[in-house]
Short mmCIF file of all heavy atoms in Angstrom, two decimals:
data_model
loop_
_atom_site.label_atom_id
_atom_site.label_comp_id
_atom_site.label_asym_id
_atom_site.label_seq_id
_atom_site.Cartn_x
_atom_site.Cartn_y
_atom_site.Cartn_z
N MET A 5 51.99 181.75 -88.06
CA MET A 5 51.53 180.47 -87.58
C MET A 5 50.65 179.83 -88.65
O MET A 5 49.82 180.49 -89.27
CB MET A 5 50.75 180.67 -86.27
CG MET A 5 49.99 179.44 -85.84
SD MET A 5 49.19 179.65 -84.26
CE MET A 5 50.30 178.68 -83.30
N TYR A 6 50.83 178.53 -88.84
CA TYR A 6 50.05 177.81 -89.83
C TYR A 6 48.62 177.54 -89.33
O TYR A 6 48.42 177.14 -88.19
CB TYR A 6 50.71 176.47 -90.20
CG TYR A 6 51.91 176.66 -91.07
CD1 TYR A 6 53.19 176.55 -90.54
CD2 TYR A 6 51.78 176.97 -92.41
CE1 TYR A 6 54.30 176.73 -91.33
CE2 TYR A 6 52.89 177.15 -93.22
CZ TYR A 6 54.14 177.04 -92.67
OH TYR A 6 55.24 177.23 -93.46
N VAL A 7 47.68 177.75 -90.21
CA VAL A 7 46.28 177.41 -89.94
C VAL A 7 46.00 176.06 -90.59
O VAL A 7 45.38 175.20 -89.99
CB VAL A 7 45.34 178.49 -90.52
CG1 VAL A 7 43.90 178.07 -90.43
CG2 VAL A 7 45.54 179.81 -89.81
N CYS A 8 46.48 175.89 -91.80
CA CYS A 8 46.27 174.65 -92.56
C CYS A 8 47.62 174.00 -92.83
O CYS A 8 48.42 174.50 -93.63
CB CYS A 8 45.57 174.97 -93.88
SG CYS A 8 45.34 173.53 -94.95
N SER A 9 47.87 172.90 -92.14
CA SER A 9 49.13 172.17 -92.32
C SER A 9 49.18 171.45 -93.65
O SER A 9 50.24 171.30 -94.24
CB SER A 9 49.32 171.14 -91.20
OG SER A 9 49.23 171.75 -89.95
N CYS A 10 48.03 171.02 -94.14
CA CYS A 10 47.98 170.25 -95.38
C CYS A 10 48.51 171.07 -96.57
O CYS A 10 49.20 170.53 -97.44
CB CYS A 10 46.56 169.80 -95.67
SG CYS A 10 45.87 168.69 -94.44
N PHE A 11 48.18 172.35 -96.61
CA PHE A 11 48.57 173.19 -97.73
C PHE A 11 49.49 174.34 -97.34
O PHE A 11 49.78 175.21 -98.16
CB PHE A 11 47.34 173.71 -98.46
CG PHE A 11 46.56 172.62 -99.14
CD1 PHE A 11 45.38 172.15 -98.60
CD2 PHE A 11 47.03 172.03 -100.30
CE1 PHE A 11 44.68 171.13 -99.21
CE2 PHE A 11 46.34 171.02 -100.93
CZ PHE A 11 45.16 170.56 -100.38
N GLY A 12 49.92 174.37 -96.08
CA GLY A 12 50.86 175.39 -95.65
C GLY A 12 50.30 176.80 -95.67
O GLY A 12 51.01 177.76 -95.97
N VAL A 13 49.03 176.94 -95.32
CA VAL A 13 48.38 178.26 -95.33
C VAL A 13 48.48 178.86 -93.93
O VAL A 13 48.15 178.21 -92.94
CB VAL A 13 46.90 178.14 -95.76
CG1 VAL A 13 46.21 179.50 -95.73
CG2 VAL A 13 46.80 177.52 -97.14
N THR A 14 48.95 180.08 -93.88
CA THR A 14 49.16 180.75 -92.60
C THR A 14 47.96 181.59 -92.19
O THR A 14 47.09 181.90 -93.01
CB THR A 14 50.39 181.67 -92.66
OG1 THR A 14 50.12 182.73 -93.58
CG2 THR A 14 51.65 180.91 -93.06
N GLU A 15 47.97 181.97 -90.93
CA GLU A 15 46.93 182.85 -90.39
C GLU A 15 46.93 184.18 -91.14
O GLU A 15 45.87 184.71 -91.48
CB GLU A 15 47.20 183.07 -88.90
CG GLU A 15 46.14 183.83 -88.18
CD GLU A 15 46.40 183.87 -86.68
OE1 GLU A 15 46.60 182.81 -86.08
OE2 GLU A 15 46.38 185.00 -86.13
N ALA A 16 48.11 184.69 -91.44
CA ALA A 16 48.22 185.96 -92.18
C ALA A 16 47.60 185.84 -93.57
O ALA A 16 46.93 186.77 -94.04
CB ALA A 16 49.68 186.38 -92.29
N GLN A 17 47.79 184.70 -94.23
CA GLN A 17 47.20 184.51 -95.55
C GLN A 17 45.68 184.46 -95.47
O GLN A 17 45.00 185.04 -96.32
CB GLN A 17 47.74 183.22 -96.19
CG GLN A 17 49.19 183.34 -96.61
CD GLN A 17 49.75 182.01 -97.05
OE1 GLN A 17 49.66 181.02 -96.31
NE2 GLN A 17 50.32 181.97 -98.23
N VAL A 18 45.14 183.77 -94.47
CA VAL A 18 43.69 183.71 -94.29
C VAL A 18 43.15 185.12 -94.06
O VAL A 18 42.14 185.52 -94.68
CB VAL A 18 43.30 182.77 -93.13
CG1 VAL A 18 41.81 182.90 -92.81
CG2 VAL A 18 43.64 181.33 -93.47
N LYS A 19 43.81 185.89 -93.21
CA LYS A 19 43.37 187.26 -92.94
C LYS A 19 43.43 188.11 -94.20
O LYS A 19 42.55 188.94 -94.44
CB LYS A 19 44.20 187.87 -91.82
CG LYS A 19 43.88 187.27 -90.46
CD LYS A 19 44.73 187.88 -89.37
CE LYS A 19 44.41 187.27 -88.02
NZ LYS A 19 45.24 187.83 -86.94
N GLN A 20 44.46 187.92 -95.02
CA GLN A 20 44.58 188.69 -96.26
C GLN A 20 43.45 188.34 -97.22
O GLN A 20 42.85 189.22 -97.84
CB GLN A 20 45.93 188.45 -96.94
CG GLN A 20 46.13 189.29 -98.19
CD GLN A 20 46.06 190.77 -97.92
OE1 GLN A 20 46.78 191.28 -97.06
NE2 GLN A 20 45.21 191.48 -98.62
N HIS A 21 43.14 187.05 -97.35
CA HIS A 21 42.02 186.64 -98.21
C HIS A 21 40.71 187.23 -97.70
O HIS A 21 39.86 187.65 -98.48
CB HIS A 21 41.92 185.11 -98.29
CG HIS A 21 43.02 184.48 -99.08
ND1 HIS A 21 43.33 184.83 -100.38
CD2 HIS A 21 43.91 183.51 -98.74
CE1 HIS A 21 44.35 184.11 -100.81
NE2 HIS A 21 44.72 183.30 -99.83
N ALA A 22 40.55 187.28 -96.38
CA ALA A 22 39.35 187.88 -95.80
C ALA A 22 39.27 189.36 -96.13
O ALA A 22 38.21 189.88 -96.48
CB ALA A 22 39.32 187.65 -94.29
N GLU A 23 40.40 190.05 -96.05
CA GLU A 23 40.42 191.47 -96.40
C GLU A 23 40.11 191.68 -97.87
O GLU A 23 39.55 192.70 -98.26
CB GLU A 23 41.79 192.08 -96.06
CG GLU A 23 42.02 192.26 -94.58
CD GLU A 23 43.41 192.81 -94.28
OE1 GLU A 23 44.05 193.39 -95.18
OE2 GLU A 23 43.84 192.65 -93.13
N ASP A 24 40.47 190.70 -98.69
CA ASP A 24 40.22 190.78 -100.13
C ASP A 24 38.79 190.39 -100.49
O ASP A 24 38.42 190.42 -101.66
CB ASP A 24 41.20 189.89 -100.89
CG ASP A 24 42.63 190.41 -100.80
OD1 ASP A 24 42.82 191.60 -100.49
OD2 ASP A 24 43.56 189.61 -101.04
N GLY A 25 37.99 190.00 -99.48
CA GLY A 25 36.58 189.74 -99.73
C GLY A 25 36.07 188.34 -99.45
O GLY A 25 34.89 188.08 -99.61
N ALA A 26 36.94 187.43 -99.06
CA ALA A 26 36.48 186.08 -98.73
C ALA A 26 35.77 186.12 -97.37
O ALA A 26 36.37 186.46 -96.37
CB ALA A 26 37.65 185.11 -98.68
N CYS A 27 34.47 185.80 -97.37
CA CYS A 27 33.66 185.95 -96.15
C CYS A 27 33.39 184.63 -95.45
O CYS A 27 32.91 184.63 -94.32
CB CYS A 27 32.32 186.58 -96.50
SG CYS A 27 32.43 188.20 -97.22
N THR A 28 33.63 183.52 -96.11
CA THR A 28 33.28 182.21 -95.56
C THR A 28 34.46 181.25 -95.69
O THR A 28 35.36 181.47 -96.52
CB THR A 28 32.09 181.60 -96.33
OG1 THR A 28 32.50 181.33 -97.68
CG2 THR A 28 30.88 182.53 -96.33
N PRO A 29 34.45 180.18 -94.90
CA PRO A 29 35.51 179.17 -95.05
C PRO A 29 35.56 178.61 -96.48
O PRO A 29 36.65 178.34 -97.00
CB PRO A 29 35.11 178.09 -94.05
CG PRO A 29 34.41 178.85 -92.97
CD PRO A 29 33.62 179.90 -93.73
N ARG A 30 34.42 178.48 -97.12
CA ARG A 30 34.40 177.97 -98.50
C ARG A 30 35.13 178.93 -99.45
O ARG A 30 35.85 178.51 -100.34
CB ARG A 30 32.97 177.76 -98.97
CG ARG A 30 32.91 177.18 -100.37
CD ARG A 30 31.53 176.79 -100.75
NE ARG A 30 31.22 175.56 -100.04
CZ ARG A 30 30.06 174.95 -100.09
NH1 ARG A 30 29.08 175.46 -100.78
NH2 ARG A 30 29.84 173.84 -99.43
N GLN A 31 34.95 180.23 -99.24
CA GLN A 31 35.64 181.21 -100.08
C GLN A 31 37.13 181.22 -99.78
O GLN A 31 37.95 181.39 -100.69
CB GLN A 31 35.03 182.60 -99.89
CG GLN A 31 33.64 182.69 -100.48
CD GLN A 31 32.95 183.99 -100.15
OE1 GLN A 31 33.31 184.68 -99.20
NE2 GLN A 31 31.92 184.31 -100.91
N ILE A 32 37.50 181.03 -98.53
CA ILE A 32 38.92 180.90 -98.17
C ILE A 32 39.49 179.66 -98.86
O ILE A 32 40.59 179.70 -99.41
CB ILE A 32 39.11 180.81 -96.65
CG1 ILE A 32 38.67 182.10 -95.96
CG2 ILE A 32 40.55 180.43 -96.29
CD1 ILE A 32 39.54 183.31 -96.23
N ALA A 33 38.73 178.58 -98.87
CA ALA A 33 39.18 177.35 -99.53
C ALA A 33 39.39 177.57 -101.02
O ALA A 33 40.36 177.09 -101.60
CB ALA A 33 38.17 176.23 -99.30
N SER A 34 38.49 178.31 -101.66
CA SER A 34 38.63 178.61 -103.08
C SER A 34 39.89 179.42 -103.35
O SER A 34 40.54 179.24 -104.37
CB SER A 34 37.42 179.37 -103.60
OG SER A 34 36.28 178.56 -103.58
N ALA A 35 40.21 180.31 -102.45
CA ALA A 35 41.37 181.19 -102.63
C ALA A 35 42.69 180.51 -102.28
O ALA A 35 43.72 180.85 -102.85
CB ALA A 35 41.20 182.45 -101.79
N SER A 36 42.67 179.55 -101.34
CA SER A 36 43.94 179.02 -100.84
C SER A 36 44.03 177.51 -100.68
O SER A 36 45.08 177.01 -100.32
CB SER A 36 44.22 179.64 -99.46
OG SER A 36 43.27 179.18 -98.53
N LYS A 37 42.94 176.79 -100.87
CA LYS A 37 42.83 175.35 -100.64
C LYS A 37 42.72 174.98 -99.17
O LYS A 37 42.50 173.83 -98.83
CB LYS A 37 43.98 174.56 -101.28
CG LYS A 37 43.99 174.55 -102.77
CD LYS A 37 45.03 173.57 -103.25
CE LYS A 37 45.04 173.48 -104.75
NZ LYS A 37 46.01 172.49 -105.22
N ALA A 38 42.89 175.94 -98.26
CA ALA A 38 42.81 175.64 -96.82
C ALA A 38 41.43 175.07 -96.50
O ALA A 38 40.42 175.62 -96.91
CB ALA A 38 43.06 176.90 -96.00
N GLY A 39 41.41 173.96 -95.80
CA GLY A 39 40.16 173.34 -95.41
C GLY A 39 39.61 172.32 -96.39
O GLY A 39 38.57 171.73 -96.16
N THR A 40 40.33 172.07 -97.48
CA THR A 40 39.81 171.15 -98.49
C THR A 40 40.38 169.74 -98.41
O THR A 40 39.93 168.86 -99.13
CB THR A 40 40.07 171.69 -99.91
OG1 THR A 40 41.48 171.81 -100.13
CG2 THR A 40 39.40 173.04 -100.12
N ASP A 41 41.35 169.51 -97.54
CA ASP A 41 41.92 168.17 -97.44
C ASP A 41 41.35 167.45 -96.21
O ASP A 41 40.30 166.83 -96.30
CB ASP A 41 43.44 168.23 -97.39
CG ASP A 41 44.10 166.88 -97.62
OD1 ASP A 41 43.48 166.02 -98.28
OD2 ASP A 41 45.23 166.68 -97.13
N CYS A 42 41.97 167.59 -95.06
CA CYS A 42 41.49 166.87 -93.88
C CYS A 42 40.35 167.61 -93.17
O CYS A 42 39.58 167.01 -92.43
CB CYS A 42 42.64 166.61 -92.90
SG CYS A 42 43.14 168.04 -91.92
N GLY A 43 40.25 168.93 -93.37
CA GLY A 43 39.18 169.71 -92.75
C GLY A 43 39.45 170.12 -91.32
O GLY A 43 38.63 170.78 -90.69
N GLY A 44 40.60 169.77 -90.80
CA GLY A 44 40.91 170.08 -89.41
C GLY A 44 41.07 171.56 -89.11
O GLY A 44 40.98 171.98 -87.96
N CYS A 45 41.26 172.36 -90.13
CA CYS A 45 41.48 173.79 -89.92
C CYS A 45 40.22 174.64 -90.10
O CYS A 45 40.25 175.84 -89.85
CB CYS A 45 42.55 174.30 -90.88
SG CYS A 45 42.14 174.05 -92.62
N VAL A 46 39.12 174.03 -90.51
CA VAL A 46 37.92 174.80 -90.83
C VAL A 46 37.42 175.61 -89.63
O VAL A 46 37.06 176.78 -89.77
CB VAL A 46 36.81 173.89 -91.40
CG1 VAL A 46 35.52 174.66 -91.60
CG2 VAL A 46 37.27 173.28 -92.71
N ARG A 47 37.44 175.02 -88.45
CA ARG A 47 36.98 175.77 -87.26
C ARG A 47 37.90 176.95 -86.96
O ARG A 47 37.44 178.00 -86.56
CB ARG A 47 36.87 174.86 -86.05
CG ARG A 47 35.66 173.96 -86.13
CD ARG A 47 35.51 173.14 -84.86
NE ARG A 47 34.39 172.25 -85.00
CZ ARG A 47 33.34 172.27 -84.21
NH1 ARG A 47 33.28 173.11 -83.21
NH2 ARG A 47 32.35 171.43 -84.41
N ARG A 48 39.18 176.77 -87.16
CA ARG A 48 40.12 177.87 -86.94
C ARG A 48 39.87 178.98 -87.97
O ARG A 48 39.91 180.17 -87.63
CB ARG A 48 41.56 177.36 -87.04
CG ARG A 48 42.61 178.42 -86.86
CD ARG A 48 42.68 178.88 -85.41
NE ARG A 48 43.69 179.92 -85.31
CZ ARG A 48 43.51 181.06 -84.66
NH1 ARG A 48 42.40 181.30 -84.03
NH2 ARG A 48 44.46 181.95 -84.63
N ILE A 49 39.61 178.61 -89.20
CA ILE A 49 39.30 179.60 -90.24
C ILE A 49 38.02 180.35 -89.87
O ILE A 49 37.96 181.57 -89.97
CB ILE A 49 39.17 178.93 -91.62
CG1 ILE A 49 40.54 178.41 -92.07
CG2 ILE A 49 38.59 179.89 -92.65
CD1 ILE A 49 40.50 177.50 -93.27
N GLN A 50 37.02 179.62 -89.41
CA GLN A 50 35.77 180.27 -88.98
C GLN A 50 36.04 181.26 -87.86
O GLN A 50 35.50 182.36 -87.85
CB GLN A 50 34.76 179.22 -88.50
CG GLN A 50 34.16 178.41 -89.62
CD GLN A 50 33.31 177.26 -89.12
OE1 GLN A 50 33.60 176.69 -88.07
NE2 GLN A 50 32.29 176.92 -89.87
N ALA A 51 36.89 180.88 -86.92
CA ALA A 51 37.22 181.77 -85.80
C ALA A 51 37.96 183.01 -86.29
O ALA A 51 37.70 184.12 -85.81
CB ALA A 51 38.07 181.02 -84.77
N LEU A 52 38.85 182.85 -87.26
CA LEU A 52 39.57 184.00 -87.79
C LEU A 52 38.63 184.95 -88.54
O LEU A 52 38.78 186.16 -88.47
CB LEU A 52 40.69 183.54 -88.73
CG LEU A 52 41.89 182.89 -88.07
CD1 LEU A 52 42.81 182.28 -89.12
CD2 LEU A 52 42.64 183.90 -87.23
N LEU A 53 37.66 184.38 -89.24
CA LEU A 53 36.71 185.22 -89.99
C LEU A 53 35.77 185.94 -89.05
O LEU A 53 35.36 187.06 -89.31
CB LEU A 53 35.91 184.37 -90.99
CG LEU A 53 36.72 183.76 -92.13
CD1 LEU A 53 35.82 182.85 -92.95
CD2 LEU A 53 37.34 184.84 -92.99
N GLY A 54 35.42 185.27 -87.94
CA GLY A 54 34.55 185.88 -86.95
C GLY A 54 33.25 186.40 -87.57
O GLY A 54 32.71 185.82 -88.50
N ARG A 55 32.79 187.52 -87.04
CA ARG A 55 31.58 188.14 -87.55
C ARG A 55 31.91 189.51 -88.13
O ARG A 55 31.18 190.47 -87.95
CB ARG A 55 30.54 188.29 -86.43
CG ARG A 55 30.02 187.00 -85.87
CD ARG A 55 29.04 186.32 -86.76
NE ARG A 55 27.85 187.14 -86.95
CZ ARG A 55 26.93 186.91 -87.85
NH1 ARG A 55 27.05 185.89 -88.66
NH2 ARG A 55 25.89 187.69 -87.96
N GLY A 56 33.04 189.59 -88.82
CA GLY A 56 33.47 190.85 -89.39
C GLY A 56 32.58 191.30 -90.54
O GLY A 56 31.62 190.63 -90.92
N ALA A 57 32.89 192.43 -91.09
CA ALA A 57 32.10 193.01 -92.18
C ALA A 57 32.17 192.13 -93.42
O ALA A 57 33.24 191.73 -93.85
CB ALA A 57 32.61 194.40 -92.51
N CYS A 58 31.04 191.81 -93.93
CA CYS A 58 30.91 191.03 -95.16
C CYS A 58 29.63 191.49 -95.82
O CYS A 58 28.56 191.42 -95.20
CB CYS A 58 30.86 189.54 -94.84
SG CYS A 58 30.60 188.52 -96.31
N PRO A 59 29.70 191.97 -97.06
CA PRO A 59 28.48 192.49 -97.70
C PRO A 59 27.31 191.52 -97.68
O PRO A 59 26.19 191.90 -97.36
CB PRO A 59 28.94 192.78 -99.13
CG PRO A 59 30.41 192.99 -99.02
CD PRO A 59 30.86 192.10 -97.89
N ARG A 60 27.56 190.25 -97.99
CA ARG A 60 26.47 189.28 -98.00
C ARG A 60 25.92 189.05 -96.60
O ARG A 60 24.72 188.93 -96.41
CB ARG A 60 26.92 187.96 -98.61
CG ARG A 60 26.84 188.02 -100.13
CD ARG A 60 27.21 186.71 -100.71
NE ARG A 60 28.64 186.81 -100.95
CZ ARG A 60 29.44 185.80 -101.06
NH1 ARG A 60 29.00 184.59 -100.95
NH2 ARG A 60 30.71 185.96 -101.29
N ARG A 61 26.82 188.99 -95.62
CA ARG A 61 26.39 188.78 -94.25
C ARG A 61 25.56 189.96 -93.77
O ARG A 61 24.58 189.80 -93.07
CB ARG A 61 27.60 188.58 -93.34
CG ARG A 61 27.21 188.16 -91.94
CD ARG A 61 28.41 187.86 -91.07
NE ARG A 61 29.16 186.73 -91.59
CZ ARG A 61 30.48 186.70 -91.70
NH1 ARG A 61 31.20 187.74 -91.36
NH2 ARG A 61 31.09 185.64 -92.17
N GLU A 62 25.95 191.18 -94.16
CA GLU A 62 25.19 192.37 -93.77
C GLU A 62 23.77 192.32 -94.35
O GLU A 62 22.81 192.68 -93.69
CB GLU A 62 25.91 193.63 -94.23
CG GLU A 62 27.18 193.89 -93.42
CD GLU A 62 28.02 195.01 -94.00
OE1 GLU A 62 27.55 195.71 -94.92
OE2 GLU A 62 29.15 195.19 -93.53
N LEU A 63 23.63 191.86 -95.60
CA LEU A 63 22.30 191.73 -96.21
C LEU A 63 21.46 190.69 -95.47
O LEU A 63 20.28 190.90 -95.23
CB LEU A 63 22.42 191.35 -97.69
CG LEU A 63 22.95 192.43 -98.62
CD1 LEU A 63 23.13 191.88 -100.02
CD2 LEU A 63 22.04 193.64 -98.63
N ILE A 64 22.10 189.58 -95.10
CA ILE A 64 21.38 188.54 -94.38
C ILE A 64 20.91 189.06 -93.03
O ILE A 64 19.77 188.84 -92.63
CB ILE A 64 22.27 187.28 -94.21
CG1 ILE A 64 22.47 186.62 -95.57
CG2 ILE A 64 21.67 186.30 -93.21
CD1 ILE A 64 23.55 185.56 -95.60
N ASP A 65 21.81 189.78 -92.33
CA ASP A 65 21.45 190.34 -91.03
C ASP A 65 20.30 191.33 -91.13
O ASP A 65 19.51 191.48 -90.21
CB ASP A 65 22.66 191.01 -90.37
CG ASP A 65 23.71 190.01 -89.91
OD1 ASP A 65 23.39 188.80 -89.84
OD2 ASP A 65 24.85 190.43 -89.65
N GLN A 66 20.19 192.00 -92.27
CA GLN A 66 19.11 192.97 -92.48
C GLN A 66 17.86 192.31 -93.06
O GLN A 66 16.88 192.98 -93.35
CB GLN A 66 19.57 194.07 -93.44
CG GLN A 66 20.69 194.91 -92.90
CD GLN A 66 21.28 195.82 -93.97
OE1 GLN A 66 20.75 195.95 -95.06
NE2 GLN A 66 22.39 196.46 -93.64
N HIS A 67 17.92 190.99 -93.26
CA HIS A 67 16.81 190.22 -93.82
C HIS A 67 16.43 190.70 -95.22
O HIS A 67 15.27 190.71 -95.59
CB HIS A 67 15.59 190.24 -92.89
CG HIS A 67 15.91 189.76 -91.51
ND1 HIS A 67 16.18 188.45 -91.23
CD2 HIS A 67 16.04 190.45 -90.34
CE1 HIS A 67 16.46 188.34 -89.93
NE2 HIS A 67 16.39 189.54 -89.37
N VAL A 68 17.44 191.11 -96.00
CA VAL A 68 17.23 191.54 -97.37
C VAL A 68 17.44 190.32 -98.26
O VAL A 68 18.49 189.68 -98.18
CB VAL A 68 18.22 192.66 -97.76
CG1 VAL A 68 18.07 193.03 -99.22
CG2 VAL A 68 18.01 193.87 -96.86
N PRO A 69 16.48 189.99 -99.12
CA PRO A 69 16.67 188.86 -100.04
C PRO A 69 17.90 189.10 -100.92
O PRO A 69 18.17 190.24 -101.33
CB PRO A 69 15.40 188.85 -100.88
CG PRO A 69 14.40 189.61 -100.08
CD PRO A 69 15.18 190.62 -99.28
N ALA A 70 18.64 188.05 -101.21
CA ALA A 70 19.87 188.16 -101.98
C ALA A 70 19.66 188.80 -103.34
O ALA A 70 20.48 189.57 -103.81
CB ALA A 70 20.51 186.78 -102.15
N LEU A 71 18.54 188.52 -104.00
CA LEU A 71 18.29 189.07 -105.32
C LEU A 71 17.83 190.52 -105.28
O LEU A 71 17.84 191.20 -106.30
CB LEU A 71 17.28 188.21 -106.07
CG LEU A 71 17.76 186.78 -106.36
CD1 LEU A 71 16.66 186.00 -107.05
CD2 LEU A 71 19.02 186.78 -107.18
N ALA A 72 17.45 191.02 -104.14
CA ALA A 72 17.00 192.41 -104.03
C ALA A 72 18.13 193.35 -104.43
O ALA A 72 17.90 194.40 -105.01
CB ALA A 72 16.52 192.71 -102.62
N ARG A 73 19.35 192.99 -104.12
CA ARG A 73 20.50 193.82 -104.47
C ARG A 73 20.62 193.97 -105.97
O ARG A 73 20.93 195.02 -106.48
CB ARG A 73 21.76 193.17 -103.88
CG ARG A 73 23.00 193.98 -104.00
CD ARG A 73 23.03 194.98 -102.87
NE ARG A 73 24.23 195.77 -102.96
CZ ARG A 73 24.86 196.24 -101.93
NH1 ARG A 73 24.42 196.02 -100.73
NH2 ARG A 73 25.91 196.97 -102.07
N LEU A 74 20.32 192.90 -106.71
CA LEU A 74 20.36 192.94 -108.18
C LEU A 74 19.27 193.84 -108.72
O LEU A 74 19.47 194.57 -109.69
CB LEU A 74 20.24 191.54 -108.77
CG LEU A 74 21.40 190.58 -108.46
CD1 LEU A 74 21.09 189.19 -108.99
CD2 LEU A 74 22.70 191.10 -109.03
N ASP A 75 18.09 193.80 -108.09
CA ASP A 75 16.99 194.64 -108.54
C ASP A 75 17.32 196.12 -108.36
O ASP A 75 16.95 196.95 -109.18
CB ASP A 75 15.70 194.31 -107.74
CG ASP A 75 15.17 192.93 -108.09
OD1 ASP A 75 15.52 192.41 -109.18
OD2 ASP A 75 14.42 192.37 -107.26
N ASP A 76 18.03 196.46 -107.28
CA ASP A 76 18.42 197.84 -107.02
C ASP A 76 19.40 198.34 -108.05
O ASP A 76 19.42 199.53 -108.39
CB ASP A 76 19.03 197.98 -105.62
CG ASP A 76 18.00 197.77 -104.52
OD1 ASP A 76 16.78 197.85 -104.82
OD2 ASP A 76 18.41 197.51 -103.38
N ALA A 77 20.25 197.44 -108.58
CA ALA A 77 21.28 197.83 -109.53
C ALA A 77 20.69 198.10 -110.91
O ALA A 77 21.28 198.82 -111.71
CB ALA A 77 22.35 196.75 -109.61
N ALA A 78 19.56 197.52 -111.20
CA ALA A 78 18.98 197.65 -112.56
C ALA A 78 18.30 198.97 -112.76
O ALA A 78 18.01 199.74 -111.96
CB ALA A 78 17.98 196.52 -112.79
#
């Protein structure tokens, strides 16, 4: 089923991009262009992404500053 009619992006493609690490509609847009034309599919993309595992989202939920991860790596 198509999620984005403007660019012919399917639900399966959005899910694959999410599995590959795209955590937000903006990252899905970067990977597939979905949501960059009329914007009518952005809510559907958000629904597909849900609240699944995302490293950045997990840090936000833990109230860890984004740069703290970089400090740990050094």
Side-chain angles (χ1 to χ4, degrees):
M5 168 176 255
Y6 286 104
V7 172
C8 177
S9 305
C10 298
F11 293 104
V13 179
T14 65
E15 186 173 307
Q17 289 172 307
V18 170
K19 288 179 180 179
Q20 183 60 54
H21 289 305
E23 287 177 20
D24 293 340
C27 300
T28 66
R30 182 172 285 177
Q31 290 172 340
I32 296 292
S34 292
S36 67
K37 292 189 177 182
T40 62
D41 193 27
C42 77
C45 59
V46 174
R47 286 185 183 240
R48 179 72 181 133
I49 292 169
Q50 288 172 327
L52 288 170
L53 294 175
R55 295 284 297 168
C58 177
R60 277 183 268 158
R61 188 176 296 134
E62 289 171 9
L63 290 175
I64 291 168
D65 290 345
Q66 296 170 9
H67 304 289
V68 175
L71 297 178
R73 187 82 179 213
L74 295 174
D75 291 339
D76 291 342

